Amino acid sequence: MAAVPSRDPTGGHREDSEISRTKFLQGAAILEFINFEMEIVSESDLRGSFIVSEKSALAFGVLHGGITAYIAETMASVGATLVSEWQRGACIGMNVVHLKEVPHGNKVMVKAVPLRIGKRIQVWDVTFSTEEKKIPHSTKPGEIVTTPVAIGRVTLMEVLQYPQKGKILDAPSTAVPTDGKQKPLSKL
């Protein structure tokens, strides 16, 4: 796997300025399970693809909407983490609209781009598409066209820094915001 540039959780640059995509996406086991391949990982553009299989399809052989939603949130979260210099975040809103079914065996391409990067709130647009040949009576028969099959909008709140190694938060109801002081989550 190719490597991607990284920053360490404290906001500085690591001495080894690259980490593997596998490590970067640690915790995204479903992506690995469905054989999702990350192709581009940057602060402004994330791309990947997968083939719809029995692992990602409903019982009647089409792409499962839950997989689409999971991928949308994961791609947006990865991008948001890069943009925010490794602050942790949480999805506070997501909408995925399925435009067309994707049968078993088709390749789905996914692209995530930021629409708004604020101090605490980020909004990402995630597009799912397939490639199809144009029908014979079109202007260019046999030409390959990209067809959107689902679109997603993911809103994330980026406020929590990753804890330092070995540091444990006092309780599940507290968090460490970017100023380093613990506050109840309800006060953030």
Side-chain angles (χ1 to χ4, degrees):
M1 268 186 193
V4 295
S6 70
R7 296 186 186 116
D8 76 9
T10 62
H13 292 283
R14 291 184 179 189
E15 288 180 18
D16 60 335
S17 64
E18 297 192 350
I19 57 175
S20 72
R21 286 187 181 154
T22 303
K23 178 114 174 126
F24 186 76
L25 292 172
Q26 189 173 24
I30 294 174
L31 294 180
E32 188 175 316
F33 177 74
I34 66 167
N35 298 315
F36 186 91
E37 289 289 324
M38 291 295 284
E39 296 156 2
I40 296 174
V41 177
S42 76
E43 294 178 355
S44 61
D45 186 12
L46 286 91
R47 295 182 195 211
S49 62
F50 67 103
I51 305 289
V52 177
S53 69
E54 66 281 347
K55 295 176 180 181
S56 58
L58 293 166
F60 49 90
V62 298
L63 178 61
H64 192 293
I67 293 292
T68 309
Y70 178 82
I71 292 171
E73 184 173 351
T74 301
M75 296 280 281
S77 294
V78 167
T81 299
L82 285 172
V83 169
S84 67
E85 299 183 0
W86 291 90
Q87 287 185 345
R88 288 186 296 165
C91 177
I92 59 172
M94 179 171 52
N95 182 32
V96 178
V97 178
H98 296 90
L99 307 170
K100 186 177 181 184
E101 68 181 24
V102 183
H104 187 274
N106 286 311
K107 181 178 181 177
V108 177
M109 296 160 297
V110 185
K111 179 180 180 180
V113 295
L115 295 177
R116 180 186 186 279
I117 305 297
K119 186 176 178 180
R120 290 193 175 192
I121 302 292
Q122 294 189 30
V123 181
W124 286 73
D125 188 41
V126 185
T127 305
F128 297 79
S129 58
T130 59
E131 291 182 341
E132 299 176 347
K133 285 187 177 181
K134 278 191 171 181
I135 51 177
H137 65 275
S138 66
T139 55
K140 295 182 181 179
E143 178 184 22
I144 303 293
V145 295
T146 302
T147 305
V149 294
I151 53 173
R153 176 127 331 144
V154 182
T155 304
L156 301 117
M157 183 168 57
E158 301 292 324
V159 295
L160 305 174
Q161 290 182 341
Y162 282 95
Q164 303 214 348
K165 283 187 181 179
K167 185 174 181 181
I168 300 172
L169 300 177
D170 292 337
S173 63
T174 62
V176 182
T178 56
D179 65 4
K181 298 177 184 173
Q182 285 190 327
K183 299 177 184 175
L185 288 174
S186 62
K187 301 284 183 182
L188 294 178

